[in-house]
Amino acid sequence: MNPGSGTLIINIMSEGKAETYEGVYQCTARNERGAAISNNIVVRPSRSPLWTKEKLEPIILQNGQHLVLSCRPPIGLPPPIIFWMDNSFQRLPQSERVSQGLNGDLYFSNVLPEDTREDYICYARFNHTQTIQQKQPISVKVISVDELNDTIAADLSDTEFYAKPSRERPPTFLTPEGNSSNKEELRGNVLSLECIAEGLPTPIIHWIKEDGTLPINRTFYKNFRKTLQIIHVSEADSGKYQCIAKNALGVIHHTISVTVKAAPYWIVAPRNLVLSPGEDGSLICRPNGNPKPKISWLTNGVPIEIAPDDPSRKIDGDTIIFSNVQERSSAVYQCNASNEYGYLLANAFVNVLAEPPRILTSADTLYQVIANRPALLDCAFFGSPLPTIEWFKGAKGSALREDIYVLHENGTLEIPVAQKDSTGTYTCVARNKLGVAKNEVQLEIKDPTRIIKQPEYAVVQRGGTVSFECKVKHDHTLIPTVMWLKDNGELPDDGRFTVDKDHLVVADVGDDDGGTYTCVANTSLDSVSASAVLSVVAPTPTPAPIYDVPNPPFDLELTNHLDKSVQLSWTPGDDNNSPITKFIIEYEDSMHEAGLWHHQTEVSGIQTTAQLNLSPFVNYSFRVVAVNSIGRSVPSQVSEHYLTKAAEPDKNPTTVEGLGSEPDNLVITWKPLNGFESNGPGLQYKVSWRQKDGDDEWTSVVVANVSKYIVSGTPTFVPYLIKVQALNDVGFAPEPAVVTGHSGEDLPMVAPGNVHVNVVNSTLAEVHWDPVPLKSIRGHLQGYRIYYWKAQNLSKRSKRHIEKKILTFQGSKTHGMLPGLEPFSHYRVNVRVVNGKGEGPASPDKVFNTPEGVPSAPSSLKIVNPTLDSLTLEWEPPGHPNGILTEYTLKYQPINSTHELGPLVDLKIPANKTRWTLKNLNFSTRYKFYFYAQTAAGSGSQITEEGVTTVDEAGILPPDVGAGKAMASRQVDIATQGWFIGLMCAVALLILILLIVCFIRRNKGGKYPVKEKEDAHADPEIQPMKEDDGTFGEYSDAEDHKPLKKGSRTPSDRTVKKEDSDDSLVDYGEGVNGQFNEDGSFIGQYSGKKEKEPAEGNESSEAPSPVNAMNSFV
């Protein structure tokens, strides 16, 4: 038995003889609530016994006598299909005179000399075992009276023994015997009644039902009306049926009394019950049948008479009544209804539950409906006892009633015609004695989409421009799409067609642009359309006359009547200001296709006669249609009829093919000629065939006007030469072309061998196999089919459902690629050869493993717990590791205020970690992180994230920040503020003006009092301006650097070094003696005299200090 299911599999091919498993099987499914049982399943092995050997004497009889050839096939399981054929495996022709009975015997109402043959062979085909058994051939010889008398005269001399000629005789029934018989049939089956009579001439069979009529749609006649079949019989078909055999010499009757019996069938089948404790209920089991079925009850598969007693139940015939049930009353009940023709078995559970209501519809579901259309609001529920459902609208609305709304049993609320005021919140309330459940849904009513300005019919001259307008009004919350169609198809891909919001414009209109243009407006809820016709006419002078289609031609006349041609003449009607360009001549064949008009030919608009070529054996009539640039006229009046003479067919059927539908037949098909092509009465086909690779003569048969002939008993998949020739009462068509076909295919016998797999990479493998011998394919080689599936992932062993994938490689390829494999996985693969019949057996499964691949990106990466100098990263492993993770790689770099990236730090993290804390980061700095996983195959895709360390806006030093530290965030903010930049620009402008003034005064050469005082009291520590260029001189370095005093902007020695003006506070903040406070203030004034570290370049991502910037300008 399959694990996890109730399916029982018996492999008879490998587990012993089939007879071992013969018997009756029944399945029982059981859990703590009860047990259910299945119907009985009868398993019987199929049998196809051999025909008993017997010696059959030749049958010699006189012309006109009747004959019955018995078949009596061996009894098989299931019964065989009987048919009669000759030594060439050709079915014996049957007719009203010769036919096969339901019992397989071959009946001759009267024999003729052509019935003489030595190979009447009865075949029995056992479909289940795919075998055919053959009876010994029967020899039949039909001789005339003279031949029979010659034979008697050779043996006897007394003339009173001489045979007399068979005279005509009235009918006599061969089967059934007597004047009446009885027949029983089961309801729902096919009723088959048979009457076969002998007589000379051959009798004709008719059927009637006494005191009734035969059902029209269910009655069929088979075997030349000798068999009456009624499908899906019911009790109403019982009664007396009469078959009547009649020929010129008499009439006989046989009455068959039909009784329709019935295996049990359901009128009311028991249905599952869900009850709550204390409730009442009932199970009803009401079958019918003929004879009336007997009912028996079971509980959990045990007859209820011996089952444990339950005081809550009472059996009343076909009903079990439950009163005041308790939870222990839960069980599965079986009702068995049986009579001599069969039985019914139904399982129904009684589940005693105490469950408060539950609403299964999703909460806050939004329904959108177009106004004036129905709205259906769902409220699926469950509970025991069965809850009652009420609907409310709005927060304090009353219960919705049936006068406006429709409340369905499944809880659905229907608003038959939703209006705008139907919009709102609807609440579904489910109640039973154990509780209440509620659920709210939203309903929105949308305005319907309308085309308020529709395109209009237009007539445009060639070369002109036409515009169709289509203005759409729609609900403002819906987005419409407007599409234009021409003749229900897409617009031509032509630059002359321009579509804007409300218009379609066609420029330089041509004749092909005429047609129907449709504007279609769609939204997600509805769709509307409107159409207009464009007619293109020739340019006309102004004022333009009225254009119209021509008037129809008239006065049609046929002359020059020949076997295969006739001349038609007519008089044109008015062209209505648009010249007639052509005349279309149509014909009707009232003999074969009355009422259907066909195109005969076309002539130019200046002709009024036409010589028409005709086909044989057609009753022609003609009509003429005039055409101008506007369109077609109505057809003219019909001409007189002209019947052409019959002739032999001038063509053969087309599309001749030979394909087998079974392994032992050849189905020859063709496209038959129509009545018009038959050229005469009595259309038939001569079908011929022979094996292509043999020396056999052509085998031919003439069949009626059909399109298929089946050659039985052919070897499997053998090429045949085929030809089909048409003929009628006049003669044969030309010799047909020979085509090649094949008899039926069978499934391949051999699986591909030497299957092996080469793994190319982690997602691609190549499969190789040896080709299957052509003889074992037994059909057209379609290709090879590879089945492959992932048995398990090497990194995690899951028990999920195995999904097999299939790849088909056409032709005789012996290798194929398997793409899209999952890395680091365990795969199985097999190969099968495919022909037109199907697949052959599978090769043994080959197992292969894909190597590790690079992993996918981590499923997530987030930054938590940011502090002043640290960030914590948390992540989830890759969804597809594609191997064994070896480590994670984390790369990060700071981002400054101008979005420039700083140096990149590379960090390796063990594979078993999902959290990591980075310390000693810059304060108030944004960092960008790049994170990816690695396997032995390499690095996977990365995931990125950004995070920022925090800053204390109040400027209060946290306990762990030492004296002298300062954060750069406020300095960065000041340096980028507009007011600060403006101030710096103003200072620079003042200095520039001062330099210009000094330069001008120097060039004048005068000395001013101030200058004299400066010369007299020169400060030795201040370098004068250079006399030659008027610029400031070089400043000398002090011996040591003193710290700034509080509020000071220049060094105490009144000198400004060039290097100092280029430095930022980074010189003080990031070195060994860093002295920055959290609010960004410079606190060197409190820390005593310290030696400044040499500058190592601007390595910080912070902006320059505004204090030093001021020093640079002052």
Side-chain angles (χ1 to χ4, degrees):
M1 189 165 70
N2 277 352
S5 78
T7 302
L8 178 65
I9 298 177
I10 301 174
N11 189 347
I12 298 175
M13 301 297 293
S14 60
E15 298 181 9
K17 295 183 179 180
E19 289 78 4
T20 307
Y21 302 98
E22 184 172 6
V24 181
Y25 293 78
Q26 190 174 49
C27 172
T28 301
R30 189 184 308 276
N31 65 11
E32 62 183 9
R33 289 280 182 173
I37 60 177
S38 71
N39 285 317
N40 288 342
I41 301 170
V42 180
V43 176
R44 299 179 65 188
S46 60
R47 297 182 177 90
S48 54
L50 296 177
W51 220 301
T52 303
K53 294 293 183 180
E54 57 182 332
K55 183 177 181 181
L56 300 177
E57 297 294 335
I59 299 174
I60 301 175
L61 69 166
Q62 183 181 338
N63 184 11
Q65 290 182 313
H66 73 271
L67 174 64
V68 179
L69 298 182
S70 298
C71 182
R72 299 191 185 91
I75 299 175
L77 185 67
I81 297 173
I82 306 301
F83 51 93
W84 288 81
M85 294 198 301
D86 58 16
N87 276 329
S88 300
F89 299 103
Q90 299 301 307
R91 285 187 180 269
L92 297 176
Q94 298 188 23
S95 63
E96 291 180 342
R97 185 179 62 85
V98 182
S99 61
Q100 177 182 316
L102 295 177
N103 62 355
D105 293 348
L106 191 62
Y107 293 87
F108 295 77
S109 295
N110 48 77
V111 294
L112 298 176
E114 55 261 34
D115 295 327
T116 298
R117 62 191 312 149
E118 297 179 350
D119 55 353
Y120 284 95
I121 305 174
C122 181
Y123 288 86
R125 182 171 65 206
F126 298 88
N127 282 343
H128 207 72
T129 58
Q130 296 185 350
T131 59
I132 295 178
Q133 303 290 350
Q134 170 185 334
K135 187 174 183 176
Q136 292 294 322
I138 302 174
S139 175
V140 174
K141 183 177 182 181
V142 179
I143 61 177
S144 65
V145 175
D146 294 337
E147 291 177 314
L148 183 59
N149 288 334
D150 291 343
T151 303
I152 296 174
D155 299 327
L156 300 172
S157 60
D158 195 342
T159 57
E160 66 182 58
F161 293 99
Y162 278 55
K164 298 180 181 179
S166 293
R167 296 180 179 178
E168 294 184 345
R169 58 187 181 276
T172 303
F173 284 115
L174 298 176
T175 182
E177 298 178 350
N179 296 326
S180 63
S181 59
N182 298 315
K183 173 75 173 182
E184 286 188 359
E185 190 55 77
L186 287 181
R187 179 179 184 270
N189 287 354
V190 177
L191 172 65
S192 295
L193 305 178
E194 180 183 58
C195 279
I196 300 178
E198 64 90 9
L200 189 65
T202 303
I204 303 299
I205 304 295
H206 295 281
W207 291 89
I208 61 172
K209 182 179 182 184
E210 298 180 6
D211 301 327
T213 58
L214 296 173
I216 297 176
N217 296 327
R218 296 186 292 115
T219 302
F220 300 92
Y221 297 99
K222 304 289 185 181
N223 198 17
F224 307 99
R225 300 185 67 90
K226 298 176 186 178
T227 302
L228 170 68
Q229 283 190 346
I230 300 177
I231 63 174
H232 308 305
V233 294
S234 64
E235 290 85 344
D237 295 316
S238 295
K240 293 183 178 181
Y241 293 79
Q242 193 175 94
C243 66
I244 304 168
K246 179 180 180 181
N247 68 5
L249 300 182
V251 178
I252 58 171
H253 304 76
H254 183 91
T255 301
I256 305 176
S257 297
V258 174
T259 303
V260 177
K261 301 290 186 177
Y265 58 93
W266 289 120
I267 297 176
V268 178
R271 300 175 62 181
N272 297 328
L273 276 180
V274 178
L275 303 173
S276 63
E279 280 193 325
D280 301 336
S282 62
L283 289 178
I284 300 175
C285 174
R286 196 158 293 158
N288 198 6
N290 186 10
K292 187 173 181 62
K294 178 184 177 182
I295 297 175
S296 60
W297 289 95
L298 299 90
T299 302
N300 296 328
V302 177
I304 201 166
E305 294 80 9
I306 62 174
D309 188 37
D310 184 352
S312 67
R313 73 171 178 242
K314 176 184 177 184
I315 301 175
D316 185 9
D318 60 3
T319 305
I320 300 181
I321 301 172
F322 296 92
S323 303
N324 191 26
V325 296
Q326 302 302 319
E327 290 196 18
R328 65 176 179 274
S329 301
S330 295
V332 181
Y333 289 84
Q334 291 83 32
C335 174
N336 186 316
S338 60
N339 64 15
E340 61 188 278
Y341 298 106
Y343 81 101
L344 291 172
L345 178 69
N347 291 276
F349 64 75
V350 177
N351 199 358
V352 182
L353 291 176
E355 287 287 337
R358 283 184 289 159
I359 295 180
L360 308 179
T361 301
S362 301
D364 295 321
T365 300
L366 175 62
Y367 295 90
Q368 295 181 329
V369 178
I370 295 296
N372 298 319
R373 296 186 181 179
L376 296 173
L377 310 183
D378 293 332
C379 181
F381 62 91
F382 178 77
S384 181
L386 185 69
T388 59
I389 302 298
E390 286 185 304
W391 281 90
F392 298 86
K393 182 181 179 184
K396 298 181 179 180
S398 58
L400 303 180
R401 301 302 177 190
E402 294 277 359
D403 51 349
I404 301 177
Y405 303 90
V406 179
L407 302 178
H408 294 273
E409 289 185 359
N410 63 355
T412 298
L413 173 67
E414 179 181 353
I415 307 174
V417 182
Q419 303 292 339
K420 274 290 187 179
D421 58 3
S422 302
T423 298
T425 300
Y426 290 78
T427 304
C428 168
V429 179
R431 290 188 177 92
N432 67 12
K433 64 183 180 182
L434 299 179
V436 178
K438 298 181 179 181
N439 186 42
E440 290 185 351
V441 297
Q442 308 296 324
L443 175 63
E444 293 182 358
I445 306 302
K446 306 294 184 180
D447 291 326
T449 304
R450 295 184 293 120
I451 298 178
I452 58 177
K453 181 63 176 176
Q454 298 187 0
E456 298 179 349
Y457 171 78
V459 178
V460 180
Q461 296 180 4
R462 286 189 221 103
T465 299
V466 64
S467 175
F468 292 107
E469 184 176 8
C470 180
K471 187 169 291 185
V472 178
K473 185 177 182 181
H474 59 90
D475 191 284
H476 70 280
T477 62
L478 300 177
I479 300 175
T481 58
V482 178
M483 177 174 58
W484 286 90
L485 305 175
K486 180 181 183 295
D487 296 330
N488 293 324
E490 295 183 358
L491 290 177
D493 186 11
D494 191 333
R496 298 181 299 107
F497 291 80
T498 305
V499 178
D500 60 15
K501 181 180 179 182
D502 297 326
H503 292 84
L504 167 66
V505 179
V506 184
D508 190 18
V509 173
D511 291 335
D512 294 339
D513 297 328
T516 301
Y517 290 82
T518 303
C519 165
V520 182
N522 294 307
T523 68
S524 58
L525 298 180
D526 62 349
S527 175
V528 292
S529 63
S531 300
V533 175
L534 172 62
S535 296
V536 182
V537 298
T540 57
T542 306
I546 298 175
Y547 294 93
D548 201 354
V549 298
N551 292 345
F554 54 95
D555 287 344
L556 273 64
E557 184 179 5
L558 295 178
T559 57
N560 298 339
H561 298 75
L562 301 176
D563 287 348
K564 292 189 178 182
S565 68
V566 72
Q567 181 172 290
L568 174 66
S569 59
W570 63 89
T571 301
D574 193 344
D575 64 6
N576 292 325
N577 299 312
S578 180
I580 296 175
T581 57
K582 62 181 177 181
F583 291 101
I584 300 174
I585 301 172
E586 299 175 336
Y587 73 90
E588 178 197 25
D589 178 8
S590 59
M591 181 184 300
H592 301 106
E593 296 175 320
L596 187 61
W597 289 90
H598 301 274
H599 182 275
Q600 172 77 20
T601 188
E602 295 179 4
V603 297
S604 69
I606 60 175
Q607 288 185 231
T608 59
T609 61
Q611 191 71 23
L612 306 179
N613 294 323
L614 308 180
S615 294
F617 200 58
V618 176
N619 192 14
Y620 282 98
S621 58
F622 301 94
R623 69 183 186 184
V624 183
V625 177
V627 181
N628 64 9
S629 59
I630 305 299
R632 296 164 53 117
S633 72
V634 297
S636 67
Q637 294 293 322
V638 179
S639 72
E640 60 182 307
H641 287 268
Y642 178 48
L643 177 61
T644 55
K645 294 182 179 180
E648 67 274 2
D650 51 18
K651 61 187 299 185
N652 285 303
T654 58
T655 321
V656 178
E657 291 183 342
L659 297 172
S661 61
E662 299 292 339
D664 61 348
N665 73 5
L666 171 66
V667 181
I668 302 174
T669 60
W670 60 90
K671 181 180 179 182
L673 305 181
N674 57 39
F676 182 80
E677 297 168 332
S678 65
N679 288 1
L683 178 63
Q684 293 179 299
Y685 301 99
K686 180 183 178 183
V687 184
S688 305
W689 68 92
R690 69 178 178 88
Q691 287 193 24
K692 182 178 180 181
D693 300 328
D695 298 329
D696 298 343
E697 295 294 327
W698 287 93
T699 302
S700 300
V701 64
V702 175
V703 299
N705 186 13
V706 294
S707 61
K708 180 173 70 174
Y709 183 77
I710 301 177
V711 180
S712 302
T714 63
T716 301
F717 196 63
V718 171
Y720 277 83
L721 298 179
I722 303 165
K723 57 184 179 180
V724 180
Q725 185 177 24
L727 66 149
N728 60 19
D729 291 349
V730 179
F732 284 84
E735 183 66 21
V738 177
V739 299
T740 301
H742 283 81
S743 56
E745 300 182 57
D746 206 346
L747 293 176
M749 302 170 61
V750 179
N754 193 24
V755 177
H756 59 281
V757 181
N758 296 330
V759 178
V760 179
N761 55 41
S762 61
T763 62
L764 183 66
E766 184 174 19
V767 182
H768 291 262
W769 61 88
D770 289 344
V772 172
L774 291 179
K775 288 187 178 180
S776 67
I777 296 176
R778 301 201 295 180
H780 295 284
L781 175 62
Q782 303 289 333
Y784 290 87
R785 189 165 292 160
I786 298 179
Y787 285 73
Y788 65 101
W789 62 96
K790 188 173 75 172
Q792 62 186 28
N793 190 299
L794 295 177
S795 61
K796 52 183 179 180
R797 300 177 181 270
S798 62
K799 295 184 178 180
R800 61 183 182 84
H801 173 69
I802 296 176
E803 178 183 359
K804 292 188 178 182
K805 297 182 179 179
I806 304 172
L807 286 177
T808 301
F809 296 90
Q810 304 293 335
S812 57
K813 292 189 66 174
T814 59
H815 64 91
M817 307 297 288
L818 304 184
L821 303 177
E822 293 188 19
F824 204 54
S825 298
H826 183 77
Y827 278 89
R828 290 181 175 271
V829 63
N830 61 50
V831 185
R832 314 171 191 209
V833 67
V834 182
N835 65 12
K837 188 75 172 178
E839 297 178 352
S843 66
D845 290 352
K846 287 293 182 180
V847 178
F848 66 95
N849 298 323
T850 53
E852 292 190 63
V854 297
S856 62
S859 299
S860 67
L861 174 64
K862 57 184 179 181
I863 298 172
V864 299
N865 302 331
T867 66
L868 294 173
D869 62 348
S870 69
L871 292 173
T872 299
L873 281 73
E874 292 183 352
W875 62 88
E876 293 184 6
H880 299 281
N882 296 335
I884 300 175
L885 297 181
T886 57
E887 64 181 3
Y888 293 100
T889 297
L890 173 65
K891 297 182 180 181
Y892 63 93
Q893 58 188 152
I895 309 173
N896 65 15
S897 59
T898 59
H899 302 289
E900 296 176 347
L901 299 175
L904 189 67
V905 178
D906 194 330
L907 182 63
K908 304 295 184 182
I909 299 175
N912 61 349
K913 298 291 186 180
T914 59
R915 179 184 177 98
W916 195 264
T917 301
L918 295 174
K919 299 181 179 179
N920 298 323
L921 302 177
N922 295 338
F923 306 133
S924 185
T925 302
R926 179 174 294 277
Y927 285 88
K928 186 164 186 177
F929 299 93
Y930 313 87
F931 191 65
Y932 54 88
Q934 289 178 281
T935 63
S939 302
S941 303
Q942 69 179 14
I943 186 172
T944 63
E945 186 57 273
E946 293 186 8
V948 182
T949 54
T950 59
V951 58
D952 186 353
E953 293 293 343
I956 301 173
L957 289 172
D960 60 342
V961 178
K965 283 194 176 183
M967 294 196 63
S969 65
R970 289 189 179 276
Q971 298 156 6
V972 172
D973 293 342
I974 296 173
T976 58
Q977 296 298 314
W979 65 267
F980 180 80
I981 296 173
L983 178 62
M984 294 300 100
C985 292
V987 172
L989 181 61
L990 288 175
I991 294 175
L992 179 61
I993 294 172
L994 178 62
L995 291 174
I996 294 173
V997 172
C998 292
F999 180 79
I1000 295 174
R1001 293 180 65 86
R1002 174 178 170 77
N1003 287 342
K1004 288 183 178 181
K1007 290 189 177 181
Y1008 299 91
V1010 176
K1011 181 68 169 65
E1012 291 174 355
K1013 289 180 181 180
E1014 288 177 350
D1015 292 342
H1017 306 283
D1019 191 338
E1021 292 186 6
I1022 300 176
Q1023 297 297 322
M1025 295 175 65
K1026 291 184 180 181
E1027 294 295 330
D1028 54 351
D1029 58 6
T1031 62
F1032 289 110
E1034 297 291 327
Y1035 295 99
S1036 62
D1037 290 334
E1039 195 171 17
D1040 55 4
H1041 300 281
K1042 298 177 181 180
L1044 292 173
K1045 295 180 181 179
K1046 186 174 182 180
S1048 175
R1049 293 191 178 184
T1050 60
S1052 60
D1053 58 0
R1054 306 290 297 173
T1055 62
V1056 179
K1057 293 188 359 178
K1058 185 176 186 297
E1059 292 80 10
D1060 289 349
S1061 66
D1062 292 337
D1063 286 344
S1064 72
L1065 294 180
V1066 176
D1067 297 333
Y1068 301 91
E1070 296 296 322
V1072 176
N1073 300 316
Q1075 301 173 26
F1076 284 86
N1077 205 342
E1078 270 199 306
D1079 62 354
S1081 60
F1082 186 48
I1083 61 173
Q1085 54 191 341
Y1086 304 115
S1087 59
K1089 185 175 182 180
K1090 290 189 179 182
E1091 203 69 36
K1092 182 181 177 183
E1093 293 294 332
E1096 295 180 359
N1098 187 10
E1099 297 178 358
S1100 172
S1101 62
E1102 305 293 343
S1105 166
V1107 178
N1108 283 340
M1110 290 292 292
N1111 289 339
S1112 300
F1113 284 103
V1114 177

